[in-house]
Amino acid sequence: SVPLITACERIGRKKLTPRFASKGGGKWTPWGLVAILSTSFVVEYMVCPFQLLSFDWAVANWKSHLFFGHILCIAFFVVISNFVPTPKKKEV
């Protein structure tokens, strides 16, 4: 689960951040707020197994949430990796 989130974060940072992040912007830009909120929700979703201290309880918890975190991460990875081109770096 955590490697899936890491892969999504890397591909999002590589392909999406250059498109939406403003040059002088910080974390309080609209893109920064989206990044903060999505990270908070996904981390909370994935931390539950460590708090429950049981894989069976973790699966029951994820099942009660319909595995939405896993499904969204997989969908994000597939869509971004296949349909969003990597922006070209600007030459200095």
Side-chain angles (χ1 to χ4, degrees), residues 21-78:
S22 60
K23 189 172 184 178
K27 65 180 180 180
W28 301 115
T29 61
W31 177 250
L33 292 174
V34 168
I36 289 170
L37 289 174
S38 62
T39 300
S40 296
F41 288 128
V42 171
V43 167
E44 183 62 35
Y45 176 81
M46 291 297 174
V47 165
C48 261
F50 298 105
Q51 294 172 340
L52 295 173
L53 299 175
S54 170
F55 185 71
D56 294 334
W57 292 349
V59 171
N61 180 48
W62 287 335
K63 194 174 185 179
S64 72
H65 289 102
L66 304 176
F67 294 95
F68 77 89
H70 290 84
I71 293 168
L72 288 177
C73 284
I74 291 169
F76 177 85
F77 186 83
V78 169

Side-chain angles (χ1 to χ4, degrees), residues 13 15-26 29-32 90:
R13 186 175 300 269
K15 293 188 173 192
L16 296 178
T17 299
R19 296 178 188 277
F20 295 110
S22 60
K23 189 172 184 178
T29 61
W31 177 250
K90 296 178 184 176

